[in-house]
Amino acid sequence: MTKKSKNSTLKEVLDIILYENPSTQDEIAEKLGITRRYVTKLLQPMVKKGIVRRAYILDLKKYDDFSEMFEEEKTSREHAGSYLIKDLLKNMSEHVCKQLKTSFEALLTHKKDQANDALKMDFITNNMLEKVRSSVDTAIAINPYSEFSKTVVFGEIAYDLERIGDHSGIIANFTMQESYEVDTEMMDYLKEMYKASKKMVSWSMDAFLNEKLDLKEEVMSCEDKLHQLQKKALNCIATQMAETPFEDKDRSTYYLSLSRVVKAFERIGDISIEIIDIAGEFYHNIPRTTTPERFRRREQKIEKLRREE
């Protein structure tokens, strides 16, 4: 094999590490149709030089210096510090949306094996968070001054996505732990809450990744709907709990777990609003409020009542 051909294959291996978040060398080999042994041979020098770190994370600064062997221009600071991290966030966003979908579909069909799959997906979410954090640290090392504040924001977005993954886990855990299926009336509320929260995650990430700040109006409209659905769902749970015999401990525990599912959807909505607020600050320097969304809603209600008086 010629040196040029070998370099081309190595470039493909590094691109997979950058963009597809592989967990093992077997996964890389399967994607490229080559042997795991050859992947190991290509990566060994990269690991020794610190260009590739264990858990398959690229050191972007070292990769930037090394990239001339591929007969390409070195990646710019903007590329290394922004473009690649945004691409990691895009992949993470898509994965978290899939995790949320898998969790809810498991709840919808009461399939414990599917719920278990959703919980396993959270390990990948956590790995993606670490990759973004590592890339942010590298970007700051490249340019610690003018781009510092904006680069740090990428880590905040990744952490928000990881939190959404955690709340998806609450939904999956409900299916794993509870033996009772959700009745039709309650499931109708949960279906609508799922649709609203999923839209909010997708729109808020689109706003951040592609500067579509006009989506905030759509997100806020969904948030209002989500909050109304939450009230109805919790009222439904309260009514059903009141009809449950006091001695039925299992059923009471079920309703408490179900209320946590409802709250999980609400928190996903709140985090989505945090993400779109970060987008406003990132692109247009619009200061973010430090007051959490749920407290802002409370303040708005109080202010509305005062005006009505």
Side-chain angles (χ1 to χ4, degrees):
M1 179 177 288
T2 65
K3 182 177 180 180
K4 185 174 182 181
S5 177
K6 182 178 178 181
N7 285 350
S8 176
T9 305
L10 175 58
K11 179 68 165 59
E12 290 177 339
V13 169
L14 296 178
D15 281 346
I16 285 176
I17 293 173
L18 269 174
Y19 300 116
E20 300 187 31
N21 302 295
S23 300
T24 64
Q25 290 188 11
D26 286 326
E27 188 178 340
I28 297 170
E30 184 178 350
K31 287 179 182 293
L32 292 178
I34 58 179
T35 65
R36 181 187 182 280
R37 185 176 179 182
Y38 188 48
V39 172
T40 301
K41 182 179 178 181
L42 290 173
L43 285 180
Q44 275 181 342
M46 304 296 101
V47 173
K48 288 180 180 179
K49 293 176 183 178
I51 296 165
V52 175
R53 300 205 292 274
R54 295 301 177 185
Y56 305 105
I57 298 172
L58 283 187
D59 184 316
L60 296 182
K61 186 177 188 302
K62 290 183 179 179
Y63 177 66
D64 191 43
D65 295 335
F66 181 76
S67 62
E68 61 185 10
M69 71 170 284
F70 302 123
E71 298 179 357
E72 297 177 348
E73 292 183 5
K74 288 186 180 182
T75 54
S76 67
R77 285 185 175 186
E78 179 184 2
H79 186 266
S82 177
Y83 178 78
L84 289 176
I85 304 176
K86 275 193 172 183
D87 210 47
L88 290 174
L89 287 173
K90 179 177 179 292
N91 291 339
M92 187 176 181
S93 174
E94 290 171 352
H95 173 77
V96 167
C97 284
K98 185 178 178 182
Q99 183 182 349
L100 175 59
K101 180 182 179 183
T102 305
S103 297
F104 182 71
E105 286 181 349
L107 173 67
L108 191 63
T109 57
H110 202 68
K111 291 183 178 177
K112 293 185 183 295
D113 56 342
Q114 192 172 15
N116 191 47
D117 289 341
L119 292 173
K120 289 178 181 177
M121 292 173 74
D122 201 46
F123 290 106
I124 300 174
T125 301
N126 293 335
N127 187 43
M128 288 179 160
L129 171 63
E130 292 308 313
K131 287 195 174 189
V132 172
R133 283 177 169 170
S134 175
S135 299
V136 167
D137 289 344
T138 301
I140 292 172
I142 294 172
N143 189 351
Y145 302 109
S146 62
E147 294 299 316
F148 176 81
S149 61
K150 288 198 171 185
T151 305
V152 168
V153 162
F154 294 131
E156 290 186 52
I157 295 294
Y159 176 63
D160 282 341
L161 289 172
E162 192 264 346
R163 289 163 63 205
I164 291 171
D166 286 344
H167 289 296
S168 298
I170 292 173
I171 299 168
N173 267 319
F174 173 85
T175 304
M176 291 292 293
Q177 296 172 4
E178 298 299 331
S179 56
Y180 300 106
E181 294 187 33
V182 180
D183 65 51
T184 303
E185 180 185 7
M186 190 64 200
M187 186 61 80
D188 286 342
Y189 291 130
L190 295 180
K191 285 178 183 177
E192 292 303 313
M193 293 189 80
Y194 164 71
K195 290 177 185 176
S197 59
K198 187 181 178 185
K199 284 179 182 177
M200 290 178 75
V201 175
S202 297
W203 284 338
S204 63
M205 284 305 299
D206 195 12
F208 180 77
L209 294 172
N210 303 306
E211 199 177 348
K212 295 184 179 179
L213 301 184
D214 56 325
L215 286 171
K216 183 167 185 176
E217 186 176 339
E218 300 286 347
V219 172
M220 295 304 295
S221 176
C222 254
E223 195 274 339
D224 288 338
K225 180 180 179 181
L226 191 61
H227 187 52
Q228 291 169 11
L229 286 166
Q230 180 202 15
K231 288 174 63 177
K232 291 178 180 178
L234 291 177
N235 285 338
C236 182
I237 292 173
T239 300
Q240 292 179 4
M241 282 186 72
E243 297 170 353
T244 301
F246 181 75
E247 61 274 10
D248 192 344
K249 303 288 187 182
D250 289 342
R251 199 72 183 183
S252 296
T253 301
Y254 160 82
Y255 287 125
L256 291 174
S257 297
L258 188 56
S259 67
R260 284 195 284 271
V261 171
V262 173
K263 292 295 289 184
F265 283 123
E266 182 212 18
R267 290 300 297 127
I268 291 171
D270 287 349
I271 294 167
S272 299
I273 291 175
E274 290 175 20
I275 291 172
I276 207 164
D277 283 346
I278 291 173
E281 183 177 78
F282 185 79
Y283 291 108
H284 293 168
N285 295 317
I286 302 171
R288 280 179 279 160
T289 177
T290 57
T291 307
E293 176 60 25
R294 57 187 179 278
F295 293 121
R296 275 187 270 169
R297 283 199 300 262
R298 189 180 302 167
E299 290 174 357
Q300 289 168 1
K301 285 181 181 178
I302 293 171
E303 183 60 29
K304 183 179 179 181
L305 288 172
R306 284 175 180 169
R307 287 199 301 266
E308 289 174 353
E309 289 174 357

